[in-house]
Amino acid sequence: IDPTLAMTWPPLAALVSASREVDLPDAFMLQHKKLLKVNMAASGGQVIAKVGSMVAYQGRMNFQRMSSGAQQWLKKKISGEQFDLMQVTGEGDLFLADAANDIILLYLNNESLQVESLNLLAFSPSLSWDIVMLKGTTGFMTGSGMFTVQLQGTGYLALICKGEPLTLQVTPDPV
């Protein structure tokens, strides 16, 4: 191996040092921008997450696929919003990620937010969710993009995005 080439690459110790576990008392915390750590004790022992997003866990966890109620199941079929959620209960730490997407953390305080189902990673069970039609949408209910997932209440929310999210205030109310 050419020693001059090896000097251009960071040593293994630098990679390991940069990926040390973050330990804060918050319910949701970023290990880095692509990996979410859920402190189950701070989350009340439960969290709702996208099926397939679990990377690792420490402690004792129970993973159960959530079934939608009849109304939500019908809305999923009509809207094309096909996503599966799981309820995770237990104690310890849960690590979640999705296809190397960036993770955006939010805390809703008796607020409401609409998001595409593909961008939903995890949320507190204190938040209620439903599939809703976008206001002002007309025509047949067969195209994608006419429906979103509405989350409302108070609790933590982790969204996924390829890069920085684009936000736009669309209400006529002044800022």
Side-chain angles (χ1 to χ4, degrees), residues 48-49 51 64-68 76 84-87 129:
I48 298 171
V51 168
Q64 183 174 7
R65 185 179 294 261
M66 294 181 64
S67 59
S68 301
K76 278 182 164 183
D84 293 317
L85 298 173
M86 63 180 172
Q87 182 172 27
W129 67 274

Side-chain angles (χ1 to χ4, degrees), residues 28 36 38 47-50 53 96 119-124 127 156-159:
F28 283 26
L36 172 68
V38 179
V47 68
I48 298 171
K50 182 179 188 175
S53 63
L96 303 171
N119 299 102
L120 187 58
L121 180 63
F123 57 95
S124 302
L127 296 175
Y156 294 93
L157 173 61
L159 302 175

Side-chain angles (χ1 to χ4, degrees), residues 101-173:
N101 287 311
D102 290 349
I103 300 172
I104 297 95
L105 295 182
L106 299 172
Y107 183 80
L108 299 182
N109 186 9
N110 199 25
E111 297 171 288
S112 177
L113 176 76
Q114 291 183 7
V115 61
E116 290 294 321
S117 61
L118 293 174
N119 299 102
L120 187 58
L121 180 63
F123 57 95
S124 302
S126 57
L127 296 175
S128 62
W129 67 274
D130 196 8
I131 297 171
V132 296
M133 182 183 278
L134 293 172
K135 289 183 181 176
T137 303
T138 59
F140 296 112
M141 296 189 304
T142 58
S144 64
M146 293 174 54
F147 294 88
T148 62
V149 177
Q150 180 173 330
L151 296 130
Q152 58 186 18
T154 299
Y156 294 93
L157 173 61
L159 302 175
I160 51 177
C161 185
K162 291 180 185 350
E164 294 294 317
L166 296 173
T167 61
L168 176 66
Q169 184 174 350
V170 293
T171 174
D173 298 335

Side-chain angles (χ1 to χ4, degrees), residues 53-71:
S53 63
M54 189 272 294
V55 173
Y57 66 92
Q58 319 177 114
R60 292 183 298 164
M61 307 272 168
N62 180 34
F63 300 86
Q64 183 174 7
R65 185 179 294 261
M66 294 181 64
S67 59
S68 301
Q71 187 176 21

